[in-house]
């Protein structure tokens, strides 16, 4: 029977005594932590051993939300899509498993993808804190692929150009959040058990490139019921008595329910599923609080959309061209997929609820327990120069990185604005001429290697001011008993993921210790290298094929590499794997940023920062939206806002004659819109979408922020707060 954790809601004398107890306890814990720093992390763990038939388990969650204004959102590569507020906060969720001999770490982060720069910076911090306990070999970092997370954490030119460069406050928030989640998991490790279950979610994903999928062999396609992976795999983490402490799952769907018109930082559909699961388990807690940790991670979602109504021409209502996903008027920009809701918020809610509901059902019906040891295998490989054994007599090679013309067309989840279409297998003289003049012509060798892709950007041959794409890529597998987690450095399509799973499973099951192995794909892990299509899908040159940067044999190369890792794990020979060539770590002064400095804030005459410009109504019913607009400063002035809030919704308690926080800006029900006006003036509108569960009573909305002013030549940052009128809800 599942025990729910009571987090908040106690009051009066009991709460005061508990608060005093917690204060004293916190002081003691602080002293102990200080003393503990004199010992190495490994020494501090030596006496803690898993009990027989169990593991040591630790789970942790931490806020990793960065600056929510003016920083580009990462995913759609739309220069105009910069952050202007907050829908939901972003979190890092860490899971540590130790079998007494080895340990592995899996971290799921609410970001678009893990970049090489981000991983290297996290590894640097882990080394400084824990020595050799956590590192490249046994830590997997995976992004949920929300397209409404913040950019600015890459070190390669292509990604910096499309996201205003390298933005230190953005990457620092993510690094610190990941580190804190691992720290929490590390210091809370205790004997526990892990269970696994799997099922299917139907109707929550759609193949957005069915033409490419149909190019796979018919005998292969006939083995599967759908052109998307509907499988969801769920892990349940418990203490030794069987009480749940965490949940980790994988499901293949793009986190693009919040579409390219969105300007608010948001964790999207997978983040909302985590929100629902954690709110259910952490009874009485505000979002982001409570001990139970629930992560919904990405999988082989490369060709999978959550916009289940499919694409149509938004200007005419007609169907889009089947192969090219374009419209007679407006081209690819007008061909957009929607659904299942009436807007992006409802669609996010519907998809998130569907995933959460199935995971909750599977979590509540666990029977298969994971037993055995843990393993980890990692290599760096130069993906631009891998020889692939096609058969007994033939080999092929991967290519220097390049993007095809159809890359610029975008997808039905967010099309390009120029005259590129998907399915282009021939170049365009106009754009090729501009490319040659500005960036240089691709070499004959690279053009031939990528056939039939017409190359738009030969990024592997572009090195100024820094390399445009990585050559050195991480490949990694971690196992927990018979469960293998394959960390994919990009976006594998449905069939690519299926092939990788089957090949890894086949290799593992050559050893009896991995009989009936369960293999999951963890997408967007460790480094981002765009897409991974099958050889057959590549020939069609839809967006995914054009974005398979190492050429038509990319998948075959990865399968060969992952089979090698699986073989080493199955034979317990991970230590014999060659490490491979290390990736570069460019210094901060080599990187560049286009993000402008924050100017001194101004306010309208006869107002104050935090003053109300548009007041709430005196009364609302549940289901309505309470809204208030404040004079605000630039949210970037608030610095590191992790574990803080720009917004509270508070309810008056007649018994204690005090205001209690019922929502922060981490809540699904709140929306924080920041609007930058003229003359360095700005305002912030807070919306509370009042849920049907809201208790009747008196409420108020508060906003917290910081404004900058110049005192002589010195900038001074000052906190402010604003409060709405009191209103009632019935």
């Amino acid at each position: 029977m599942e025990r729910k954790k009571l987090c908040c809601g106690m009051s009066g004398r009991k709460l005061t005594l508990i608060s005093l107890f917690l204060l004293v306890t916190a002081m003691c814990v602080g002293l102990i932590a200080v003393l503990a720093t004199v010992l190495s992390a490994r020494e501090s763990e030596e006496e803690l051993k898993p009990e027989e038939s169990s593991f040591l388990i630790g789970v942790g969650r931490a806020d990793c939300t960065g600056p929510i204004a003016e920083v580009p959102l990462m995913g759609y590569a739309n220069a105009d899509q910069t952050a202007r507020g907050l829908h939901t906060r972003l979190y890092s969720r860490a899971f540590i498993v130790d079998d007494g001999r080895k340990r592995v770490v899996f971290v799921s982060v609410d970001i678009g993808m893990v970049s090489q720069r981000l991983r290297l910076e996290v590894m640097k911090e882990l080394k400084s804190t824990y020595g050799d306990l956590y590192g490249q070999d046994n830590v997997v970092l995976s992004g949920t692929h929300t397209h409404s997370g913040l950019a600015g954490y890459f070190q390669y030119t292509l990604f910096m150009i499309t996201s205003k460069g390298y933005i230190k406050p953005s990457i620092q928030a993510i690094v610190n959040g990941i580190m804190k989640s691992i720290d929490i998991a590390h210091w809370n490790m205790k004997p526990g058990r892990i269970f696994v279950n799997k099922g299917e979610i139907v109707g929550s994903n759609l193949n957005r490139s069915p033409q490419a999928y149909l190019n796979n062999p018919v005998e292969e396609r006939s083995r599967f019921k759908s052109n998307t992976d509907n499988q969801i795999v769920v892990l349940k983490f418990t203490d030794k008595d069987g009480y749940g402490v965490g949940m980790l799952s994988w499901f293949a769907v793009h986190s693009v329910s919040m579409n390219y018109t969105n300007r608010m930082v948001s964790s999207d559909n997978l983040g909302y599923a985590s929100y629902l699961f954690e709110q259910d388990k952490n009874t009485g807690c505000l979002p982001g609080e409570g001990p139970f940790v629930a992560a919904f991670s990405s999988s082989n979602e490369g060709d999978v959309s959550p916009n289940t109504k499919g694409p149509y021409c938004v200007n005419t209502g007609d169907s889009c061209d089947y192969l090219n996903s374009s419209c007679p008027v407006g081209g690819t920009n007008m061909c957009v997929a929607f659904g299942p809701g009436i807007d992006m918020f409802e669609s996010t809610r519907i998809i998130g609820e569907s995933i959460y509901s199935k995971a909750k059902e599977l979590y509540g019906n666990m029977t298969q327990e994971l037993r055995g040891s843990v393993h980890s295998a990692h290599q760096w490989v130069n993906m631009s120069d891998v020889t692939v054994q096609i058969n007994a007599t033939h080999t092929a090679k991967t290519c220097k990185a390049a993007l095809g013309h159809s890359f610029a067309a975008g997808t039905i989840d967010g099309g390009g604005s120029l005259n590129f279409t998907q399915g282009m297998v021939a170049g365009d003289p106009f754009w090729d001429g501009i490319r040659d003049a500005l960036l240089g012509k691709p070499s004959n060798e690279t053009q031939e290697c990528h056939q039939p892709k017409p190359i738009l950007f030969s990024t592997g041959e572009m090195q100024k001011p820094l390399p445009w794409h990585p050559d050195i890529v991480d490949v990694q597998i971690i196992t927990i008993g018979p469960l293998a987690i394959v960390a994919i450095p990009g976006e594998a399509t449905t069939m690519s993921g299926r092939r990788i799973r089957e090949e890894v499973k086949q290799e593992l099951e050559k050893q009896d210790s991995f009989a009936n192995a369960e293999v999951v794909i963890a997408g967007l892990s460790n480094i981002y290298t765009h897409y991974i299509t099958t050889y057959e899908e590549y020939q069609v040159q839809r967006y995914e094929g054009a974005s398979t940067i190492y050429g038509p044999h990319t998948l075959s190369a990865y399968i060969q590499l992952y089979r090698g890792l699986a073989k080493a794990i199955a034979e317990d020979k991970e230590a014999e794997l060659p490490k491979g060539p290390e990736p570069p770590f460019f210094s901060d002064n080599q990187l560049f940023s286009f993000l402008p400095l924050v100017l001194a804030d101004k306010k309208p005459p006869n107002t104050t920062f935090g003053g109300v410009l548009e007041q709430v109504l005196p009364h609302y019913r549940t289901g309505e939206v309470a809204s208030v607009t404040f004079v605000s400063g630039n949210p970037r002035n608030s610095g590191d806002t992790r574990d803080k809030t720009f917004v509270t919704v508070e309810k008056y308690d007649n018994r204690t004659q005090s205001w209690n926080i019922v929502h922060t800006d981490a809540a699904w029900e709140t929306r924080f819109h920041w609007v930058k006006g003229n003359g360095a003036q700005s305002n912030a509108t807070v919306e509370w979408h009042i849920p049907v569960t809201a208790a009747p009573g008196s409420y108020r909305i508060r906003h917290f922020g910081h404004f900058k002013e110049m005192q002589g030549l010195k900038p001074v940052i000052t906190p402010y707060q604003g409060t709405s009128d009191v209103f009632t809800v019935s």
Side-chain angles (χ1 to χ4, degrees):
M1 182 175 179
E2 186 65 29
R3 177 176 64 193
K4 290 192 176 184
K5 312 291 191 300
L6 184 62
C7 202
C8 311
M10 290 178 278
S11 60
R13 189 172 180 182
K14 184 177 181 181
L15 182 58
T16 302
L17 290 172
I18 290 175
S19 298
L20 288 171
F21 173 76
L22 291 174
L23 179 61
V24 173
T25 302
M27 292 173 64
C28 293
V29 170
L31 289 172
I32 292 170
V34 171
L35 292 173
T37 58
V38 301
L39 301 173
S40 71
R42 173 54 75 181
E43 289 170 341
S44 68
E45 293 291 326
E46 281 181 353
E47 294 184 3
L48 188 61
K49 300 292 183 182
E51 297 182 356
E52 188 176 355
S53 299
S54 71
F55 300 103
L56 281 179
I57 292 170
V59 300
R61 175 191 56 251
D63 190 345
C64 63
T65 310
I68 63 166
E70 301 182 315
V71 174
L73 301 183
M74 186 67 210
Y76 292 110
N78 180 353
D80 295 328
Q81 193 186 22
T82 55
R84 299 179 193 167
L86 184 62
H87 178 219
T88 56
R89 284 194 167 264
L90 310 178
Y91 291 97
S92 171
R93 296 173 172 91
F95 301 81
I96 304 177
V97 180
D98 189 314
D99 66 359
R101 183 180 66 108
K102 291 183 180 179
R103 69 175 53 181
V104 293
V105 184
F106 185 88
V107 184
S108 178
V109 196
D110 289 333
I111 54 176
M113 62 285 288
V114 175
S115 75
Q116 187 175 84
R117 180 66 180 213
L118 175 62
R119 179 169 172 83
L120 291 175
E121 292 206 12
V122 169
M123 293 302 137
K124 184 179 176 182
E125 292 294 321
L126 286 171
K127 178 74 172 179
S128 174
T129 305
Y130 296 102
D132 295 330
L133 184 58
Y134 302 118
Q136 299 285 358
D137 290 346
N138 66 342
V139 177
V140 174
L141 306 179
S142 176
T144 62
H145 206 36
T146 172
H147 282 43
S148 296
L150 295 165
Y153 55 95
F154 290 79
Q155 68 172 8
Y156 290 99
T157 299
L158 179 75
F159 302 115
M160 286 196 285
I161 285 176
T162 57
S163 57
K164 293 189 178 180
Y166 177 78
I167 302 171
K168 195 69 174 179
S170 180
I171 189 171
Q172 206 58 56
I174 304 170
V175 171
N176 291 343
I178 291 172
M179 282 299 300
K180 185 175 179 180
S181 68
I182 293 174
D183 289 342
I184 293 170
H186 174 87
W187 292 110
N188 284 286
M189 291 185 71
K190 56 189 176 183
R193 304 163 69 186
I194 307 174
F195 298 84
V196 62
N197 202 354
K198 60 183 179 180
E200 288 197 346
I201 302 175
V202 179
S204 291
N205 56 14
L206 171 87
N207 193 305
R208 68 186 188 187
S209 287
Q211 311 90 323
Y213 181 88
L214 287 172
N215 211 41
N216 291 307
V218 63
E219 61 273 16
E220 181 180 37
R221 289 186 282 111
S222 66
R223 294 165 45 215
F224 304 99
K225 294 185 293 184
S226 172
N227 62 3
T228 61
D229 260 336
N230 296 327
Q231 176 179 273
I232 178 173
V233 177
V234 177
L235 299 186
K236 178 179 182 178
F237 296 81
T238 78
D239 62 20
K240 63 181 181 179
D241 297 318
Y243 295 118
V245 297
M247 187 281 304
L248 173 59
S249 76
W250 294 268
F251 178 65
V253 68
H254 254 83
S255 286
V256 293
S257 292
M258 299 294 291
N259 63 41
Y260 62 92
T261 66
N262 174 50
R263 296 294 183 271
M264 290 187 290
V265 173
S266 173
S267 59
D268 212 284
N269 46 43
L270 292 180
Y272 184 51
S274 290
Y275 173 91
L276 291 173
F277 212 115
E278 290 178 348
Q279 288 297 98
D280 180 51
K281 295 298 181 184
N282 295 318
T283 305
C285 292
L286 293 170
E289 298 179 0
F292 191 94
V293 178
F296 287 82
S297 301
S298 60
S299 191
N300 52 320
E301 42 60 68
D303 53 358
V304 184
S305 171
N307 296 307
T308 53
K309 289 183 180 178
Y312 65 92
C313 298
V314 294
N315 51 349
T316 64
D318 297 329
S319 298
C320 303
D321 176 88
Y322 181 70
L323 176 61
N324 298 319
S325 295
S326 62
C327 298
V329 179
T332 57
N333 201 35
M334 290 292 111
C335 179
V336 182
F338 288 97
I342 59 172
D343 60 26
M344 60 184 169
F345 297 99
E346 187 180 33
S347 293
T348 301
R349 179 187 60 79
I350 292 171
I351 297 298
E353 283 182 348
S354 173
I355 299 169
Y356 153 74
S357 296
K358 188 63 181 182
K360 183 179 179 181
E361 174 195 326
L362 295 170
Y363 179 93
N365 293 283
M366 293 282 183
T367 57
Q368 182 182 350
E369 184 171 0
L370 295 181
R371 300 179 185 274
S373 57
V374 302
H375 293 267
S376 59
H378 171 275
Q379 281 183 306
W380 284 302
V381 60
N382 184 351
M383 272 301 294
S384 66
D385 187 24
V386 177
T387 299
V388 181
Q389 194 70 42
I390 301 297
N391 53 43
T393 58
H394 290 78
T395 62
K397 292 195 70 173
T398 55
C399 316
K400 290 183 177 180
L403 291 163
H405 278 245
S406 293
F407 162 77
T411 74
I412 60 174
D413 294 322
S417 57
L418 301 173
N419 64 329
F420 294 93
T421 60
Q422 297 195 64
M424 294 180 71
V425 291
D428 182 290
F430 174 76
W431 292 113
D432 288 348
I434 292 177
R435 175 205 62 204
D436 294 349
L438 296 178
L439 303 172
K441 185 177 180 180
S443 68
N444 291 336
E445 179 188 1
T446 298
Q447 291 187 70
E448 184 176 341
C449 186
H450 279 271
Q451 286 291 336
K453 177 199 291 179
I455 294 175
L456 181 62
F457 299 122
S458 185
T459 51
E461 298 176 318
M462 297 159 62
Q463 303 295 319
K464 295 181 180 180
L466 290 169
W468 281 53
H469 264 144
D471 289 327
I472 310 304
V473 173
D474 296 72
V475 290
Q476 186 177 22
I477 298 176
I478 61 174
T479 63
I480 306 169
L483 174 78
I485 301 170
V486 183
I488 302 295
E491 305 182 55
T493 60
T494 298
M495 195 63 85
S496 293
R498 286 169 174 165
R499 290 184 188 178
I500 293 171
R501 282 203 307 260
E502 289 181 354
E503 295 282 350
V504 169
K505 179 180 174 68
Q506 183 182 89
E507 194 64 56
L508 289 172
E509 290 181 343
K510 289 179 179 178
Q511 301 296 322
D512 292 341
S513 56
F514 283 94
N516 300 313
E518 182 69 49
V519 181
V520 296
I521 299 294
L524 303 126
S525 295
N526 298 337
I527 178 175
Y528 186 60
T529 60
H530 297 268
Y531 284 74
I532 303 165
T533 60
T534 68
Y535 177 85
E536 295 83 359
E537 291 164 350
Y538 186 91
Q539 307 307 307
V540 181
Q541 280 298 294
R542 292 274 296 177
Y543 172 80
E544 295 82 11
S547 304
T548 298
I549 62 174
Y550 299 115
H553 300 289
T554 297
L555 174 61
S556 297
Y558 277 126
I559 287 175
Q560 182 172 289
L561 291 164
Y562 284 115
R563 286 202 72 138
L565 297 182
K567 178 180 174 65
I569 287 175
E571 297 176 356
D572 201 15
K573 295 180 179 179
E574 303 99 306
E576 298 179 15
L577 285 168
K579 188 177 181 179
E582 291 196 25
F585 184 90
F586 303 116
S587 63
D588 284 7
N589 59 16
Q590 290 179 278
L591 307 175
F592 55 85
S593 176
F594 304 133
L595 186 68
L597 297 174
V598 179
L599 301 175
D601 291 298
K602 305 294 183 182
K603 56 184 177 60
N606 304 316
T607 63
T608 59
F609 288 100
V612 176
L613 295 174
E614 293 183 25
Q615 195 56 265
V616 293
L617 300 176
H619 178 76
Y620 296 93
R621 295 181 179 274
T622 57
E624 296 180 335
V625 180
S627 177
V628 55
T629 301
F630 300 93
V631 178
S632 77
N634 190 317
R636 286 171 61 195
N637 289 327
S638 295
D640 186 354
T641 64
R642 294 176 305 118
D643 302 317
K644 300 174 185 176
T645 184
F646 288 100
V647 173
T648 58
V649 177
E650 302 173 3
K651 185 177 184 297
Y652 190 71
D653 189 328
N654 290 312
R655 282 183 310 139
T656 61
Q657 297 185 333
S658 62
W659 290 95
N660 296 326
I661 296 174
V662 294
H663 296 296
T664 63
D665 62 15
W668 172 262
E669 293 83 1
T670 61
R671 296 176 194 172
F672 176 65
H673 302 271
W674 179 70
V675 179
K676 185 177 182 180
N678 296 322
Q681 293 184 11
S682 62
N683 61 64
T685 297
V686 179
E687 294 178 358
W688 178 33
H689 292 248
I690 305 171
V692 294
T693 55
S698 298
Y699 290 84
R700 69 182 185 187
I701 296 173
R702 303 183 75 194
H703 163 50
F704 305 86
H706 294 75
F707 67 90
K708 177 192 284 189
E709 59 183 345
M710 300 300 295
Q711 294 183 1
L713 298 177
K714 181 181 179 182
V716 177
I717 306 293
T718 306
Y720 70 85
Q721 55 184 275
T723 307
S724 75
D725 286 347
V726 177
F727 58 93
T728 59
V729 172
S730 64

